[in-house]
Amino acid sequence: MTVQRCPHKAKIRSGVLALRDAIPVDQRIEKSLALSAHGGRELVVGPNDIVSGFWPIRSEVDVRPLMADLRDQGARLCLPVIVDRETIIFRELLRGAPMVDTGFGTAGPADDAAVLDPTLMLVPLAAFDARGHRVGYGAGLYDRAISRLVARHIRPRLVGIAFDLQEVEGVPDEDHDELLDAVLTESGLRCFAPSI
């Protein structure tokens, strides 16, 4: 499946990612820790929840402290793994399990890890707006993964993960876009849907 790229989204993506890349490393760490503290207090999880996080690349928010906190609250964790150029699955992340290269510069659990269906997804993004629309990295991997889950009657809560400066005035709507239920930044959790 070829993803039709929206030129407006590409422009938004490149502009916002340049801003994010310009955040000094020490500030990025502090902002990531603030985001994780908010998420640990505001995201409600339990033993029936499976949380998909992500291994941070480039200048992304580091959600590993948040993932550890959610695990301590009883949730199981998983990470996305790219199995071909168009598909991601979510493999269980266990303490002490080996990590392997999983594509796009990320790391994740090896092939022998259990494949899980997340109930809460921490979604990386390039930009977001006040309506819960997001600009991803352009490959459509998350939109397709979410669509596959929904087709199986599984609708995970979708929480975008970003820094405040990644908010834009408006993101162009496309039919395949999956709306976020909330976005978590260093300022806290902002809900767009009552399900969070």
Side-chain angles (χ1 to χ4, degrees):
M1 174 181 174
T2 303
V3 176
Q4 296 284 38
R5 289 188 166 78
C6 174
H8 301 296
K9 283 188 175 181
K11 186 175 180 181
I12 291 169
R13 180 182 303 110
S14 63
V16 174
L17 291 180
L19 291 174
R20 190 182 76 185
D21 289 345
I23 300 171
V25 173
D26 60 332
Q27 289 181 27
R28 203 163 48 238
I29 292 168
E30 290 302 319
K31 291 174 185 291
S32 292
L33 291 172
L35 177 148
S36 293
H38 285 296
R41 288 189 305 270
E42 299 178 51
L43 292 174
V44 178
V45 297
N48 293 325
D49 281 304
I50 298 171
V51 177
S52 72
F54 55 91
W55 206 257
I57 57 172
R58 297 184 295 273
S59 60
E60 283 182 333
V61 172
D62 186 347
V63 294
R64 290 173 293 185
L66 174 57
M67 291 167 55
D69 192 7
L70 297 177
R71 179 191 320 227
D72 290 345
Q73 293 180 40
R76 292 171 73 186
L77 299 179
C78 58
L79 291 175
V81 174
I82 301 168
V83 293
D84 61 40
R85 302 197 107 192
E86 297 186 1
T87 306
I88 55 175
I89 59 172
F90 300 92
R91 289 191 187 140
E92 187 166 20
L93 176 63
L94 298 173
R95 282 193 171 114
M99 299 285 278
V100 299
D101 175 19
T102 56
F104 280 102
T106 64
D111 291 348
D112 59 347
V115 175
L116 303 177
D117 294 326
T119 60
L120 170 63
M121 294 176 71
L122 305 178
V123 182
L125 52 85
F128 68 95
D129 68 19
R131 301 173 302 145
H133 290 264
R134 71 180 182 87
V135 175
Y137 293 128
L141 292 169
Y142 271 86
D143 289 321
R144 285 193 298 279
I146 295 162
S147 292
R148 281 191 301 277
L149 290 168
V150 169
R152 294 174 39 226
H153 307 287
I154 300 166
R155 176 49 168 93
R157 297 178 289 163
L158 305 176
V159 178
I161 300 295
F163 296 117
D164 287 331
L165 64 70
Q166 292 176 251
E167 183 172 4
V168 296
E169 187 172 324
V171 170
D173 300 10
E174 294 184 272
D175 291 341
H176 66 271
D177 290 341
E178 295 288 344
L179 293 177
L180 299 170
D181 296 303
V183 69
L184 180 61
T185 71
E186 69 269 27
S187 296
L189 184 70
R190 184 183 333 169
C191 295
F192 306 118
S195 65
I196 286 296

